[in-house]
Amino acid sequence: MTGYGADDHPHGADRLCEAGDRVYSRAVRRGRVPRVDAEPVPCLLELALLHPDPDDMDWLVPTAPQEVMTRLLREVQDEVSASQRRVGAAVAAVERYAGLAPSVVAGAAGEGTAIRVLDGLSRIQAAMDEATEACTTEVLTVQPGGIRPEHELTEGLHRALALRGRGVRMRDLYTHVARHGQGLLNYLELMGGSVQARTLDEVIDRLILFDRTVAFIPANADRTLALELRHPALVEYLVTVFERLWRLAIPLTAPLPDTGIEGISHREQSIAALLAEGHQDAVIAERLGISVRTCRAHIARLSETLGAASRTQLGVRIAQVGLDGPTSVTSLTLPDQGSRTVR
């Protein structure tokens, strides 16, 4: 008979090996077994299922099954008690940590993955790449600022081409200033009918929507923090904002409407309206996506065209010719500038 070492019997009394079961069963039936019969199964002695016969050391007698059962139950109870202590300790630890910041924990439980803060450009880009790969139907974007730097367009070109390859439709909103960027025009020509672009005087901050299920918006001024939004109500709200802006916007391929005032461009009309609202030059420049220097040059031309000698007088002239609101006037004469028709 082949012998077994202790390492071959990694079990307890509740699950004996086949050889051990045979020897112990025989010992229970007969009252004892020769010691030599137990040599191949040292587990029986190690588990105290067999022990020497006091009257004859060459024989082994079995421990009563009832006693074995009592011992097994005691061991199980000890294991259960130990597990309960571990569970209790874990619960106490969680309660202690939760008590340190209950509002944060409660907020996190409510939001789940519906709102996720992305800290750092690498995390933002990774989340954007993941959403891009999962996108199957539509991407909506709002791109504030002025002329899009060509390197930005080039960096994102591979993702845009991948979307186009999957039949995804894209709609982009820019400020009117972006029309003057050759890089954007080249990008749109390359993308063909997959991308539609429209422009407005000013747009909201950057927004990217994938399949109307996930949105990304900046969370700080330098855009090193972003929010990933998957809450249906928030995403639906942002989609509604985009669609209303889209309806107001002018297709990139269409010319900007004439202001109806000779010598005043569409951009200067936009600047005039913001001046009438009381905004400073820097704010106007940021909202329209132009530099402060360019903004001031347009303000100087406005003053010259409207015959304003001061900033205060310029505000009055803007109101007189109707540049402080929608262009619905019909025929006005510019003060001090002779007869100039306003359509």
Side-chain angles (χ1 to χ4, degrees), residues 270-289:
S270 302
I271 291 173
L274 292 172
L275 281 171
E277 292 178 8
H279 297 294
Q280 298 298 315
D281 297 356
V283 174
I284 295 172
E286 182 181 3
R287 288 177 59 167
L288 298 182

Side-chain angles (χ1 to χ4, degrees), residues 57-306:
M57 300 298 290
D58 290 332
W59 290 80
L60 299 173
V61 297
T63 301
Q66 294 82 358
E67 184 179 340
V68 174
M69 177 62 70
T70 300
R71 187 199 311 161
L72 287 174
L73 291 176
R74 188 181 305 116
E75 291 174 356
V76 170
Q77 181 62 42
D78 290 343
E79 291 175 2
V80 170
S81 297
S83 296
Q84 289 176 335
R85 287 193 295 272
R86 288 196 295 271
V87 170
V91 170
V94 170
E95 290 178 346
R96 180 167 63 86
Y97 293 132
L100 296 177
S103 60
V104 173
V105 174
E111 293 175 356
T113 57
I115 302 176
R116 188 160 64 115
V117 179
L118 305 173
D119 188 355
L121 296 178
S122 60
R123 287 196 64 197
I124 295 171
Q125 192 58 64
M128 292 277 293
D129 288 343
E130 182 180 347
T132 300
E133 291 174 7
C135 184
T136 59
T137 57
E138 181 185 55
V139 178
L140 309 176
T141 75
V142 178
Q143 302 288 353
I147 295 175
R148 295 292 306 282
E150 196 155 350
H151 69 86
E152 284 187 9
L153 295 166
T154 303
E155 287 172 2
L157 183 60
H158 68 286
R159 286 186 291 273
L161 290 173
L163 289 167
R164 186 186 69 173
R166 298 201 300 272
V168 175
R169 311 299 292 181
M170 291 162 269
R171 286 188 285 157
D172 300 333
L173 277 171
Y174 302 93
T175 60
H176 291 323
V177 179
R179 291 168 170 260
H180 304 292
Q182 187 60 44
L184 176 60
L185 298 177
N186 293 340
Y187 163 75
L188 293 173
E189 183 179 359
L190 177 64
M191 295 300 295
S194 298
V195 178
Q196 296 181 56
R198 294 186 180 185
T199 64
L200 285 164
D201 285 321
E202 52 181 314
V203 295
I204 59 174
D205 207 344
R206 180 162 294 173
L207 168 66
I208 304 177
L209 286 152
F210 293 92
D211 286 343
R212 304 190 178 215
T213 58
V214 56
F216 294 88
I217 60 174
N220 63 351
D222 60 5
R223 295 178 180 166
T224 56
L225 281 177
L227 296 182
E228 180 186 294
L229 307 175
R230 293 181 181 272
H231 193 289
L234 288 174
V235 174
E236 183 180 359
Y237 178 83
L238 293 172
V239 169
T240 300
V241 171
F242 179 90
E243 292 292 1
R244 292 185 181 180
L245 290 174
W246 183 260
R247 285 195 294 271
L248 294 171
I250 301 169
L252 191 69
T253 54
L256 296 179
D258 190 87
T259 64
I261 303 177
E262 184 182 347
I264 294 181
S265 68
H266 189 92
R267 183 182 299 177
E268 287 163 358
Q269 182 183 35
S270 302
I271 291 173
L274 292 172
L275 281 171
E277 292 178 8
H279 297 294
Q280 298 298 315
D281 297 356
V283 174
I284 295 172
E286 182 181 3
R287 288 177 59 167
L288 298 182
I290 59 178
S291 69
V292 175
R293 181 177 179 179
T294 299
C295 179
R296 287 172 177 164
H298 281 296
I299 292 173
R301 280 197 291 271
L302 267 173
S303 297
E304 181 181 354
T305 302
L306 297 179

